[in-house]
Amino acid sequence: QQQVKQSPQSLIVQKGGISIINCAYENTAFDYFPWYQQFPGKGPALLIAIRPDVSEKKEGRFTISFNKSAKQFSLHIMDSQPGDSATYFCAATGTYKYIFGTGTRLKVLA
Amino acid sequence: DAGVIQSPRHEVTEMGQEVTLRCKPISGHNSLFWYRQTMMRGLELLIYFNNNVPIDDSGMPEDRFSAKMPNASFSTLKIQPSEPRDSAVYFCASSLQGTNTEAFFGQGTRLTVV
């Protein structure tokens, strides 16, 4: 009930391509769905987040798609750049819980 | 604001020793989280404080782990006795108001138990 399943574990994309990372959750009480980006040696930092009352949120090249009925959400990175190479974590939060997925290592080839 | 400050950045200790990790959250934030990050298990929530009170410690792996938050500007995570399997990066994070908002992470403490 408290898990957030994230896939794929790793992803290699050509520069300019689209990176897609998927997450699924079980607990319908979750009400905030952020994505975090982590570079080596650093703590995770918020990239973009969505609440369940909307189905999509876009900020620059980053878009979250949210499917409440399927309990799934995904991160799309358009025009992927080498600087986007990092580990990405989805998360789902609710009362007293802030649960992270297992992470996706993204490598964007120049 | 300097962000969430953790100390030390690196800690190497021998098995059986006591280890204390420290965290200073962002001023004004009322929620604090301790996470452990490993390659195998990703980011695991260990404990969550709200207004200095431990709300959920179900993620604390065993009695060897304990956490305190004596005031709004300081928290500790203690491991006694430490074991090699405790080796990981430990992150502290704080948020302005509870769990349905952005969490700001510190730089982490890399713990190695030999």
Side-chain angles (χ1 to χ4, degrees):
Chain A
Q1 273 268 317
Q2 303 296 349
Q3 279 189 329
V4 178
K5 296 181 180 179
Q6 183 172 346
S7 63
Q9 206 171 14
S10 62
L11 183 60
I12 300 175
V13 174
Q14 293 287 339
K15 179 182 176 182
I18 302 173
S19 303
I20 302 174
I21 305 170
N22 301 299
C23 282
Y25 63 98
E26 297 174 352
N27 190 338
T28 56
F30 289 143
D31 58 5
Y32 179 66
F33 300 89
W35 284 88
Y36 284 79
Q37 181 187 53
Q38 184 181 29
F39 293 104
K42 303 291 186 183
L46 181 71
L47 184 64
I48 186 172
I50 197 168
R51 297 192 189 274
D53 53 342
V54 297
S55 60
E56 185 175 282
K57 184 173 182 180
K58 184 176 180 180
E59 291 183 0
R61 296 184 295 108
F62 302 92
T63 299
I64 299 178
S65 296
F66 186 81
N67 187 328
K68 188 174 181 177
S69 61
K71 290 186 282 186
Q72 296 174 349
F73 57 112
S74 60
L75 175 69
H76 295 235
I77 306 174
M78 311 299 288
D79 188 25
S80 299
Q81 299 296 312
D84 297 332
S85 297
T87 300
Y88 293 81
F89 293 93
C90 63
T93 86
T95 305
Y96 309 144
K97 292 295 180 185
Y98 211 117
I99 308 298
F100 283 84
T102 49
T104 297
R105 283 193 168 186
L106 171 65
K107 185 174 178 64
V108 181
L109 301 176
Chain B
D1 200 316
V4 176
I5 300 173
Q6 291 186 245
S7 64
R9 290 293 312 277
H10 302 274
E11 177 80 39
V12 180
T13 190
E14 290 185 348
M15 181 175 62
Q17 296 297 306
E18 176 180 296
V19 176
T20 299
L21 311 181
R22 297 173 174 78
C23 176
K24 176 178 168 53
I26 293 173
S27 176
H29 283 192
N30 73 344
S31 295
L32 184 138
F33 310 83
W34 280 101
Y35 285 91
R36 176 171 68 178
Q37 184 175 32
T38 59
M39 288 294 293
M40 290 296 294
R41 301 173 71 92
L43 275 165
E44 298 175 275
L45 177 61
L46 300 178
I47 188 167
Y48 163 57
F49 289 89
N50 186 257
N51 293 322
N52 311 337
V53 176
I55 300 300
D56 183 0
D57 65 355
S58 59
M60 297 286 264
E62 47 196 280
D63 291 345
R64 297 184 298 105
F65 286 70
S66 62
K68 294 182 179 179
M69 191 163 187
N71 57 61
S73 59
F74 184 66
S75 177
T76 59
L77 178 68
K78 185 178 293 186
I79 308 173
Q80 165 66 18
S82 58
E83 296 182 3
R85 60 193 169 112
D86 301 331
S87 297
V89 180
Y90 291 81
F91 285 103
C92 173
S94 69
S95 72
L96 184 58
Q97 205 157 17
T99 53
N100 64 345
T101 186
E102 179 179 2
F104 292 81
F105 282 76
Q107 298 267 50
T109 295
R110 181 174 294 278
L111 172 65
T112 303
V113 183
V114 298

